[in-house]
Amino acid sequence: MRTFIIGLLLLCTTATSWARDLAPIVTVDWLEKNLTEVKIIDIRKADEYREGHIPGAVNVMYGGLAIKKNALDNEFPLLDDFTDILNAAGLTSKSKVVVYNKVDNILERANMTRIAQTLVYAGIANVAVLDGGWNKWIADKKTVIKDTVAVKPATGTFVFNNKILVDQ
């Protein structure tokens, strides 16, 4: 739980330093009403995404944005690779993004906020996590689709905010 709270605090704290149109946490009811207004990122495994996902959601698996480098887990990919992943998902620095994951355990909740914070690091100011994640979406019997979402890749660049990184 502590990891989730720390990630959420980082997301909220960092987000306040930029102009935001999107709250750091959104409800399933809000998302359902705003599906076409935001980019939705599903960070679950590809097979879980194919079994069903929120309409409009693009699958960007957690491991693509939190990689192993040397002996360290959960590191950022190389900036060129990072940019390619974001562009392939159709994201730009102006995107309004909602990230969701399963929330069966603390690690899955922490991963959701980790990816949200990663997007903030990439210069995307309007990033939120879905309160209750995939589990709440299903529990509230919201619409689920199985078709892969066609993504129009973006071609933008990102200004990575190194000010939010801890340097030893």
Side-chain angles (χ1 to χ4, degrees):
M1 185 67 164
R2 195 168 87 190
T3 305
F4 175 69
I5 292 170
I6 291 169
L8 193 55
L9 287 172
L10 284 171
L11 176 63
C12 294
T13 304
T14 305
T16 60
S17 66
W18 287 305
R20 292 184 55 87
D21 297 327
L22 192 62
I25 304 170
V26 298
T27 65
V28 293
D29 290 332
W30 183 92
L31 181 57
E32 181 181 48
K33 292 175 189 163
N34 292 279
L35 289 173
T36 60
E37 305 302 316
V38 295
K39 301 282 188 177
I40 306 165
I41 302 298
D42 179 330
I43 65 166
R44 298 175 302 148
K45 294 179 181 174
D47 59 336
E48 294 170 323
Y49 173 83
R50 285 190 296 271
E51 289 172 8
H53 54 88
I54 296 172
V58 175
N59 189 223
V60 178
M61 291 183 298
Y62 179 81
L65 291 174
I67 66 169
K68 184 169 188 153
K69 281 187 189 173
N70 302 321
L72 298 174
D73 290 331
N74 298 313
E75 295 296 302
F76 294 131
L78 297 173
L79 295 185
D80 286 348
D81 294 339
F82 200 157
T83 299
D84 290 345
I85 292 167
L86 298 180
N87 280 329
L91 300 180
T92 70
S93 61
K94 303 291 183 203
S95 295
K96 295 178 184 178
V97 183
V98 175
V99 178
Y100 76 91
N101 193 17
K102 297 182 303 183
V103 293
D104 294 337
N105 58 56
I106 190 65
L107 183 59
E108 290 169 345
R109 292 188 294 269
N111 289 349
M112 186 167 57
T113 59
R114 161 57 162 84
I115 294 303
Q117 184 64 29
T118 299
L119 298 177
V120 170
Y121 165 67
I124 303 172
N126 286 294
V127 181
V129 294
L130 180 60
D131 186 20
W134 175 246
N135 302 51
K136 177 85 169 125
W137 187 268
I138 293 299
D140 286 3
K141 298 182 178 12
K142 302 297 184 187
T143 302
V144 172
I145 64 171
K146 291 186 177 187
D147 297 334
T148 300
V149 173
V151 178
K152 180 181 177 192
T155 57
T157 58
F158 295 88
V159 178
F160 295 92
N161 182 1
N162 291 321
K163 292 178 185 176
I164 67 172
L165 298 179
V166 175
D167 190 12
Q168 295 185 18

